[in-house]
Amino acid sequence: MAAPVPHFTLNNGQKIPSVGLGCWLGQPGAVDTNGRNVKQALKDAIEEAGYRHVDTAALYQDEAEVGEVVRTSSVPREEIFVTTKLGNSSRESAEAVQAAFDDSFKKLGLGYIDAWLMHWPQGVSSKTGKAFGLEGQDGPTFGETWADMEKIYESGKVKTIGVSNFSIQNLETLLKTAKVVPAINQVEGHPFHPDDALADYCKAKGIHITYYSPLGQPLKRTDVLKDEVLAEIAKQTSSTSSQVALSWAVAKGRSVVPKSSRIERIKQNISLVELSSEQVSRIDRIHKEDPKKYTRLNIAAANGDDKTVFGLTLEQLGWDCGFLPLGFPGKGNTITSID
Ligand SMILES: NC(=O)c1ccc[n+]([C@@H]2O[C@H](COP(=O)([O-])OP(=O)(O)OC[C@H]3O[C@@H](n4cnc5c(N)ncnc54)[C@H](OP(=O)(O)O)[C@@H]3O)[C@@H](O)[C@H]2O)c1
């Protein structure tokens, strides 16, 4: 049976369940850093915990496994919302974008894809390794890539197209040329990085926000789940800090895609609790009251000596990162390594 979580209606009328299973396993491929396989986790999620929303990407290298589980599960395919994403290395031409779509389509093997997102504003050149996507860089702009995605959308093989990791600045540019307004913008979001200004902007444009890393990637370097406000509200609501963080996001109208490969956590993460407006506001204030609790975590996913994220600077991404770990120029710099 489907878990009783809210659904949000996208700007094209499609409905997206508010909680999905994140299928980036902390490393490329179908096995996570705990040695657990995405196939078992997703099967448990769908059949035992009632998930009806799955988040994968070409980059995660597990689309074939995700597709197989959705195809062979006891739940009808049309009841499951499957998101995948266009990889940065498949952006050099319209043909490359089409080939990447065909590849994801074939690997998933589901007859159609529910949502296909541009994973990042930037692409990466196979020849030089350099990023492109902005005006004046050597390669298609993200607006041109979006136009390629719009053509594929017309084919009907994908029901919804959207973006990921887009700031207000880059959405403003995209919307100048887009014929189809993205239905989704998937961005990092949790109590230490709510990104409310972006969410307000997206709401005004009819773009739904999905939060990735909604628990703050607890295995890595964060203390989101150890936050005392979350712990206190968890106690008040007889739940856990994870449930509180996810319930808060959903109460604010955002869908969430937490990753877990453990059945007890998979079940916990889709058991939302009702929060009062006072509890929601208290969580809203966490990142404002302590500057170190306002931080972007996924910045470390793609760092490098040049202090860019997959080749774009923070200014080019339009990212306000708050407290910055890992030697990025800014307010933080106390954390010098990651697990
Ligand atoms: N669009 C993008 O650029 C982008 C970037 C990053 C992530 N994503 C998507 O977002 C998904 C989730 O993000 P994420 O994996 O970075 O971070 P996350 O979901 O915030 O955190 C995942 C970590 O939390 C642990 N965990 C899960 N449930 C828990 C619970 N109830 N209590 C305590 N710990 C718990 C998991 O460990 P166990 O598995 O051991 O439970 C895992 O280590 C990804 O899988 C991917 O689909 C998208």
Side-chain angles (χ1 to χ4, degrees):
M1 219 172 59
V5 293
H7 287 55
F8 297 114
T9 304
L10 303 175
N11 64 14
N12 59 0
Q14 297 289 321
K15 288 198 187 305
I16 186 169
S18 54
V19 182
L21 187 74
C23 291
W24 164 248
L25 300 181
Q27 56 192 13
V31 177
D32 76 3
T33 45
N34 303 313
R36 298 193 182 87
N37 196 294
V38 73
K39 282 167 64 169
Q40 190 58 49
L42 185 55
K43 191 170 160 47
D44 288 347
I46 294 173
E47 297 192 347
E48 288 205 36
Y51 282 62
R52 296 293 182 264
H53 174 183
V54 191
D55 183 68
T56 186
L59 186 79
Y60 304 170
Q61 296 178 28
D62 60 3
E63 288 170 304
E65 288 80 3
V66 166
E68 184 188 328
V69 175
V70 173
R71 234 178 13 252
T72 57
S73 93
S74 55
V75 174
R77 188 271 170 264
E78 57 279 7
E79 288 185 23
I80 303 175
F81 191 101
V82 179
T83 298
T84 193
K85 310 184 193 89
L86 169 67
N88 297 4
S89 58
S90 307
R91 303 257 300 260
E92 288 175 281
S93 62
E95 292 72 29
V97 174
Q98 180 69 58
F101 178 79
D102 292 344
D103 190 49
S104 289
F105 190 83
K106 193 167 162 212
K107 282 186 175 140
L108 285 164
L110 294 171
Y112 62 89
I113 292 171
D114 295 273
W116 188 44
L117 312 183
M118 192 188 307
H119 205 146
W120 286 84
Q122 66 273 43
V124 61
S125 161
S126 57
K127 291 187 200 88
T128 64
K130 283 195 177 157
F132 60 84
L134 305 183
E135 210 56 65
Q137 294 180 322
D138 195 10
T141 61
F142 55 65
E144 288 166 335
T145 300
W146 183 251
D148 298 335
M149 291 178 68
E150 288 176 330
K151 288 203 189 93
I152 294 168
Y153 180 51
E154 280 170 21
S155 73
K157 289 180 167 178
V158 53
K159 296 200 168 189
T160 295
I161 52 174
V163 295
S164 176
N165 293 299
F166 269 66
S167 59
I168 295 177
Q169 170 184 307
N170 286 333
L171 280 172
E172 288 270 279
T173 305
L174 183 73
L175 292 177
K176 281 185 195 146
T177 55
K179 292 196 194 106
V180 176
V181 174
I184 298 169
N185 185 16
Q186 185 181 117
V187 295
E188 178 179 331
H190 44 72
F192 286 11
H193 201 275
D195 227 343
D196 285 321
L198 174 68
D200 289 347
Y201 174 88
C202 284
K203 193 171 180 192
K205 302 288 178 189
I207 303 170
H208 172 73
I209 290 274
T210 297
Y211 274 170
Y212 73 68
S213 306
L215 303 172
Q217 298 180 328
L219 263 192
K220 290 195 176 171
R221 60 211 165 278
T222 84
D223 290 331
V224 174
L225 294 187
K226 294 186 197 137
D227 185 78
E228 58 278 11
V229 172
L230 295 184
E232 196 184 313
I233 296 175
K235 211 166 164 195
Q236 290 165 0
T237 52
S238 306
S239 65
T240 65
S241 295
S242 306
Q243 285 167 289
V244 171
L246 300 171
S247 303
W248 161 81
V250 173
K252 285 161 76 73
R254 294 145 208 185
S255 53
V256 287
V257 287
K259 176 266 170 186
S260 181
S261 57
R262 303 170 201 239
I263 180 65
E264 68 284 3
R265 288 178 175 176
I266 290 171
K267 283 185 176 166
Q268 191 189 106
N269 292 343
I270 202 162
S271 303
L272 302 177
V273 292
E274 198 161 330
L275 301 177
S276 67
S277 52
E278 165 56 21
Q279 287 166 331
V280 170
S281 322
R282 277 197 74 198
I283 302 168
D284 282 343
R285 290 199 301 272
I286 292 174
H287 77 290
K288 296 179 183 159
E289 289 171 354
D290 177 351
K292 286 194 181 167
K293 291 186 177 176
Y294 175 47
T295 182
R296 192 183 281 272
L297 311 167
N298 194 44
I299 190 171
N303 64 23
D305 291 342
D306 61 352
K307 310 282 186 284
T308 64
V309 179
F310 292 136
L312 291 195
T313 64
L314 302 182
E315 288 73 22
Q316 287 171 322
L317 282 162
W319 276 9
D320 175 5
C321 295
F323 180 79
L324 286 165
L326 290 163
F328 274 83
K331 300 172 201 162
N333 299 342
T334 58
I335 301 170
T336 52
S337 67
I338 52 166
D339 301 334

